[in-house]
Amino acid sequence: MRPLYAVPLGIAATGAACVAYAAGYEVRSFRLRRVTVPVLPAGAPPLRVLQLSDIHMVNGQDRKQRWLRELAALKPDLVVNTGDNLSDPEAIPQTLDALGPLMDFPGVYVFGSNDYYGPVPKSPTRYLGAMFSGDHGMNRSDGTARRGIVGAIHNPWEDLRDGFDGAGWLDLTNTRGRLKIEGLDLEFTGLDDPHIRRDRYARVAGGPDPDADVSIGVVHAPYLRVLDAFTADGYPLVLAGHTHGGQLCVPFYGALVTNCDLDRGRVKGLSGHSAGGHDSYLHVSAGCGTNRYTPVRFACPPEATLLTLTAAPTVART
């Protein structure tokens, strides 16, 4: 007969091995996801868009910094940064250095809550609790606001903004912007982070400019109110991050949480969204970092995404 403690010890050993893998290997196993999105006008040449999100830079993350610098070898036509660059108020120089080669290319950005505020230790059970309560960040499940941020560390985010702006990247904080790339007129509409209720869609409402070749919505956290607004206004593509792809996933099941009101089935990658009689593509980056106090990933490697935008299929007239 097997000893009664054999099964508990086996479970403990398996758990320890998973933690060692998640913290020692996968969290540094950087990947590049490649996605094709047909949203350009007929006859337009393909456009290569590198999306970065949730870098969560901490001093000393040399491997992550090298990997980010190496992404410049892709020579993207455009870089889109969907926020949460920081997880250390002293890591702005390292972040700007790692992104330096990519800032030679045209780019746009929005910030996430971790760009504004430094992280604090949190119990992982809070994320599971939020899954059942529907309360995420400063958002209640009924659409009202929770109390404001108290006792947070304020990051010197202005230095990060100045670095991006100095490189010519467009700040899309609750505003619109335009870029001319490869002969295409690209329109962007961005929002500040809905997770901490800094989004102000009323300032940018009205839908795409019909003179633009393509219009793209950009936001950090993919809350449904934001996706509904972008889609109902007719944006064909929305780019977001924030979810970390679930960060700790169960093989053959997927993410347990999304850290917002987005469903688990769309926690990362390319999917669709419908609202107001319109359909849009949604791409959610799983990001390439973690909160400094939970430096683990399981069944969800850190990533960046190279989106190739192509011409949308033409609809035959009858």
Side-chain angles (χ1 to χ4, degrees):
M1 180 180 293
R2 297 176 64 188
L4 294 178
Y5 54 77
V7 172
L9 285 179
I11 294 173
T14 300
C18 289
V19 170
Y21 168 82
Y25 173 75
E26 186 166 321
V27 76
R28 299 177 183 84
S29 180
F30 301 105
R31 313 287 174 87
L32 180 70
R33 182 192 295 271
R34 295 176 185 268
V35 175
T36 299
V37 192
V39 293
L40 297 182
L47 194 72
R48 302 167 77 245
V49 179
L50 178 66
Q51 184 185 355
L52 301 172
S53 197
D54 299 271
I55 294 170
H56 288 285
M57 188 67 76
V58 176
N59 273 332
Q61 292 182 328
D62 297 336
R63 184 169 179 175
K64 182 191 293 183
Q65 293 171 37
R66 288 195 303 271
W67 178 73
L68 287 168
R69 285 193 289 267
E70 290 168 357
L71 290 174
L74 295 169
K75 297 183 178 180
D77 299 307
L78 171 71
V79 179
V80 177
N81 183 318
T82 44
D84 271 10
N85 295 273
L86 304 175
S87 198
D88 182 344
E90 298 182 358
I92 289 178
Q94 289 77 14
T95 304
L96 292 175
D97 179 70
L99 295 177
L102 287 169
M103 288 192 286
D104 289 338
F105 302 97
V108 301
Y109 71 93
V110 293
F111 281 154
S113 61
N114 283 269
D115 294 309
Y116 298 116
Y117 303 104
V120 294
K122 295 180 182 178
S123 169
T125 59
R126 290 186 58 179
Y127 295 98
L128 293 173
M131 178 178 66
F132 295 107
S133 71
D135 297 339
H136 302 278
M138 290 176 59
N139 302 274
R140 296 188 186 278
S141 58
D142 61 4
T144 61
R146 303 174 74 185
R147 70 187 182 96
I149 297 172
V150 177
I153 299 169
H154 286 259
N155 285 336
W157 61 270
E158 297 90 346
D159 295 339
L160 191 64
R161 176 202 61 196
D162 292 348
F164 290 167
D165 290 353
W169 282 10
L170 295 183
D171 182 350
L172 297 178
T173 304
N174 292 322
T175 192
R176 295 173 180 250
R178 298 285 271 266
L179 288 173
K180 196 86 169 182
I181 300 176
E182 296 296 317
L184 294 172
D185 183 5
L186 308 181
E187 179 188 34
F188 303 92
T189 300
L191 292 175
D192 210 345
D193 192 2
H195 193 58
I196 51 176
R197 299 187 72 88
R198 292 176 67 119
D199 54 306
R200 302 289 184 269
Y201 194 82
R203 297 182 186 176
V204 297
D209 185 334
D211 292 332
D213 289 311
V214 66
S215 299
I216 300 172
V218 183
V219 67
H220 175 64
Y223 278 81
L224 294 179
R225 68 174 183 272
V226 169
L227 302 182
D228 287 347
F230 276 130
T231 302
D233 260 355
Y235 287 86
L237 174 63
V238 182
L239 302 178
H242 176 71
T243 65
H244 296 193
Q247 190 167 329
L248 299 176
C249 299
V250 177
F252 309 110
Y253 178 79
L256 298 176
V257 298
T258 65
N259 199 22
C260 63
D261 60 358
L262 185 70
D263 54 280
R264 293 185 301 102
R266 296 185 290 170
V267 70
K268 66 179 178 180
L270 187 68
S271 62
H273 192 76
S274 299
H278 295 273
D279 298 312
S280 65
Y281 287 102
L282 168 66
H283 183 265
V284 179
S285 171
C288 61
T290 68
N291 183 299
R292 68 182 303 173
Y293 296 110
T294 53
V296 293
R297 278 182 176 256
F298 191 79
C300 186
E303 67 177 37
T305 306
L306 187 65
L307 300 104
T308 300
L309 308 189
T310 62
T314 57
V315 178
R317 294 185 178 182
T318 57

